[in-house]
Amino acid sequence: MKICDILKKDKIIPSMKGRNKYDLINELVDLFKDDERVKDLEGMRQSVHEREKIMSTGVGKGFAIPHSKSNSVNDIVAAFGKLDEPVDFQALDGQPVNLIFLLVGKENLVGPHIKLLSRISRMMNRDEFRESLAKAKTADEIYELFENEEKQYFEIN
């Protein structure tokens, strides 16, 4: 499964408004208000916040990947947001976050969920990719960066 199979342009926010991690998560979750893949938006929101309480998903290098598994969705859904001004996300490296990738998968889709988390993490570990995302101004540009990065660095099965 490719990231670009689940990340849609209308689920990308090129300039997020939230000023703390909970508002930012809510901003991304709210993108799914009328999405047929989401059965219970508030259940989805709660599952992501519950996961965040266990341990921050701010993984370092200015990147966070809030995620959860929930039967509030009937597939794997994703959203991406970028901040103009980094925000404290209680990241593992203590650095503020400016790039956020939300991933929520149905409870029984554990394998694909873990593979996608791994793929996203590997992509975001590349300094040049993160820098390109930080400079991008539109959802189209951001989507294209993900598409090109995925084509360049992964063999898709």
Side-chain angles (χ1 to χ4, degrees), residues 119-130:
R119 175 169 292 188
I120 294 159
S121 296
R122 279 183 290 170
M123 287 170 71
M124 297 306 286
N125 214 23
R126 292 196 57 251
D127 294 339
E128 296 126 45
F129 182 57
R130 284 193 323 279

Side-chain angles (χ1 to χ4, degrees), residues 1-3 5 115 119 122-123 147-157:
M1 180 176 286
K2 296 191 296 186
I3 291 165
D5 290 340
K115 283 181 184 166
R119 175 169 292 188
R122 279 183 290 170
M123 287 170 71
E147 207 172 37
N148 291 337
E149 188 74 7
E150 207 164 30
K151 280 179 194 164
Q152 194 171 356
Y153 290 96
F154 295 102
E155 283 185 20
I156 305 302
N157 297 333

Side-chain angles (χ1 to χ4, degrees), residues 33-114:
K33 270 191 180 125
D34 297 315
D35 193 302
E36 72 242 2
R37 298 170 298 167
V38 178
K39 297 187 284 189
D40 175 7
L41 188 71
E42 293 313 311
M44 174 180 158
R45 183 186 320 277
Q46 184 179 351
S47 74
V48 176
H49 283 296
E50 289 299 319
R51 167 59 186 84
E52 193 64 34
K53 286 177 190 170
I54 294 167
M55 183 176 157
S56 176
T57 56
V59 294
K61 298 183 178 183
F63 175 61
I65 184 165
H67 60 277
S68 72
K69 291 185 290 303
S70 171
N71 284 327
S72 299
V73 298
N74 54 28
D75 203 348
I76 297 176
V77 299
F80 179 82
K82 183 174 87 72
L83 293 99
D84 299 321
E85 295 293 321
V87 168
D88 180 26
F89 218 87
Q90 291 86 43
L92 302 177
D93 66 355
Q95 297 301 306
V97 162
N98 68 325
L99 302 170
I100 304 171
F101 197 108
L102 173 75
L103 187 69
V104 180
K106 188 172 165 80
E107 293 269 357
N108 66 349
L109 296 176
V110 175
H113 183 82
I114 290 170

Side-chain angles (χ1 to χ4, degrees), residues 1-44:
M1 180 176 286
K2 296 191 296 186
I3 291 165
C4 290
D5 290 340
I6 59 163
L7 180 64
K8 306 299 175 202
K9 290 179 187 177
D10 67 339
K11 303 295 188 261
I12 295 173
I13 304 174
S15 184
M16 295 185 78
K17 306 290 181 247
R19 298 310 309 151
N20 66 60
K21 71 177 179 174
Y22 298 104
D23 289 347
L24 293 164
I25 288 169
N26 287 336
E27 199 173 335
L28 290 171
V29 169
D30 286 342
L31 292 172
F32 293 92
K33 270 191 180 125
D34 297 315
D35 193 302
E36 72 242 2
R37 298 170 298 167
V38 178
K39 297 187 284 189
D40 175 7
L41 188 71
E42 293 313 311
M44 174 180 158

